[in-house]
Amino acid sequence: MKYAVITGTSRGLGASIAALFLKQGVNVIGISRNENNELANLADENNVTYQHYTCHLANVEKVDKVFSIISDQLVRKQTSCIYFIHNAGTVNPINTAENYTAEAIDSHVHVNLIAPMIASSIFLKAVKKCNIPLINVYVTSGAANRSVYGWSAYSATKAGLNRYARTLALEQEELNTNSKAIIFDPSIMDTGMQNEIRSTSKEAFQDVEQFQQYKREDQLRNTNTVAEVLIDILIEPAVIENGKYYSVKDIL
Ligand SMILES: NC(=O)c1ccc[n+]([C@@H]2O[C@H](COP(=O)([O-])OP(=O)(O)OC[C@H]3O[C@@H](n4cnc5c(N)ncnc54)[C@H](OP(=O)(O)O)[C@@H]3O)[C@@H](O)[C@H]2O)c1
C-alpha cells in the first residue's frame, strides 16, 4: 500500500494533490488547521483511506508529535512507499523587512521551512530501519530565485527549502538509501494565496498590479492541472530524479 502524507490539504494545491492521489489508489494523510470533508468521501468512493491531523505547523511540539505518530503508523503497516509532500505554505507577512514583527517572522519560518525539516527528519529516521522508499517533495516558488519587493521572508524560506531539498538528496544518494527528495515549482495558480497577494497595498508589495492583472487575464492555472503534473512525476518512484527541480512551466 502506498501512502501520501501531504501538508495543506484543506484547500488550494494541497487539496487537489490529495484528491488525485486518492483517485490513483494511494492512501492519504492530510495535515492542516482546517479539515477537508470532501477528501474523506472521495477516499470511500475509491476504496482507500483519508486521515486528517489538525495541526498548526508553526507549533514545533505539535509538529514533532503529529509526524511521529504518522511515521509510527506507516512503518508498522504493509507500506510499499511513502510520499511526503510539503505543500503548505504562507506568503505572509508581505511588507518591507523593517515592518515585520518578531511573531510574524517566527510563524512564517516555522510553517515554510522548520516544519518540513522536522517532518522529513522523522520520516528519514523511520524508513532507515525498514527500507521503505520515501519520496520527499518540497513545493517551492519562483520567488526563491529572485528578489520581490515585500517578499523577503517568502523568498528566504523558499530558497532555504530548495537548498535543504538538494542537500537531503545528496546525502541520501551518498548513503545509498531508498529515499529521494525533489523540488516542485507549481508557478502561479488560482488559489487563496493569490487572493491574499492581490489584496495587499502597493506600499507593502510593489508588484500588486501585475498580480491583479494575472487574475483579470486568466493567467492563473487551475490547481487540478498543476496537481496532475505532480502526480505524473510521482506515480513511478523508480524514475523520479533525485534532487531535481521540477517546474510546471517546463512541463506544460
Ligand atoms: N498560488 C500560487 O500562485 C503559488 C505560486 C508558487 C508557489 N506556491 C506554493 O504552493 C503551495 C500551495 O499554495 P496554495 O496557493 O495552494 O496556498 P493556499 O490556497 O493559501 O493554501 C495553503 C494551504 O496551506 C495550509 N497552511 C497554511 N498555513 C498553515 C499552518 N500554519 N499550519 C498548517 N497548515 C497551514 C492551509 O491550511 P489551513 O489554513 O487549513 O491551515 C492550506 O491548506 C505553497 O507552498 C505556496 O508557497 C503557490
Side-chain angles (χ1 to χ4, degrees), residues 8 10-11 13 33-34 57 87 154 158 187 189 191 194:
S10 60
R11 57 192 151 90
L13 178 63
R33 290 166 299 182
N34 300 288
L57 292 172
N87 154 83
Y154 189 60
K158 292 297 189 184
S187 188
M189 304 172 290
T191 66
Q194 281 287 333

